[in-house]
Amino acid sequence: MITIVCGEDNSSSRLYFAGEISNFKSKGFEVKSIASEELKFLESGYIDKTLFGSKTIYINENTHKAFLRNKKALNTLLDTLSKNKDLVILIWEDSISKRDLGLTASVTIKEFRPDKNIFKLIESCYPSNLKAFINTMNEIRTKTNDFFVFIMLSRHIKKLILYQHGIMPPNLQTWQEIKLSNQEKYWKSDLIIDYYDKLISIDYLIKTGKSPYKVFDYIETLSAYYL
């Protein structure tokens, strides 16, 4: 059994991943971390039980990064491993959607998608649109992790900056490009770079524990100035 936990909502996916590990431990499984490069060794055999008789669950993180240039090899490997019904593997993929993983192998995929209103929020982030932006933020602030919203917003602003400079994000769909094109027109290059710079500064304060305010308060203050 192979289960892959993924999704852009990495906070929820990580909690689920940790919860699954705890569940297996409670069932008597021994948890063993395995590097992506070592997964292939499970094809030829593995020790199902430890010296004390407990079964083993193999865990791994960000397997797809080890196969970025050869997704076919990853799918082939996972298909082969999935045929062994006694083999238990749990993989966590950080902040990537099921679609972008591009897996065709016969494995179980548990995807955690962001609230649709988060996409509505980041798409409404542009000058002269403050009211709509704040209204949307108020809709999600009580039911969504604030730092996750912050990360999604920061990534999107970075994507807009790159798009303004002719750098296309990978796997960009036509409808996504249309939205980026429409949104970036509202931003002057120096203004959006300054906005992103402020977001990076806030990220530093949060991660170093030096932030005296809540994340949504920061976003709201920045929005009042830039939007």
Side-chain angles (χ1 to χ4, degrees), residues 170-188:
N171 303 318
L172 189 68
Q173 302 294 316
T174 301
W175 63 270
Q176 292 174 312
E177 183 179 357
I178 292 173
K179 286 191 173 183
L180 285 177
S181 178
N182 289 336
Q183 188 176 3
E184 64 90 15
K185 291 176 182 177
Y186 289 95
W187 284 100
K188 293 182 179 179

Side-chain angles (χ1 to χ4, degrees), residues 16 26 39 42 55 60 65-66 68 96 98 103 106 109 113 148 152 160 183 187-188 192 209 213 221 225-226:
Y16 181 85
S26 68
L39 285 171
L42 297 179
K55 290 187 176 181
N60 177 259
K65 290 184 177 180
L68 283 177
I96 185 170
K98 177 181 178 180
L103 295 179
S106 301
I109 299 179
R113 299 178 179 178
F148 173 63
M152 290 289 289
L160 279 174
Q183 188 176 3
W187 284 100
K188 293 182 179 179
I192 193 172
Y213 305 110
T221 302
Y225 182 80
Y226 288 95

Side-chain angles (χ1 to χ4, degrees), residues 73-96:
L74 176 58
N75 279 303
T76 299
L77 174 60
L78 292 177
D79 263 331
T80 300
L81 294 177
S82 67
K83 292 176 182 178
N84 188 335
K85 303 305 179 182
D86 294 321
L87 182 61
V88 183
I89 302 174
L90 181 65
I91 298 171
W92 179 67
E93 299 287 357
D94 184 14
S95 304
I96 185 170

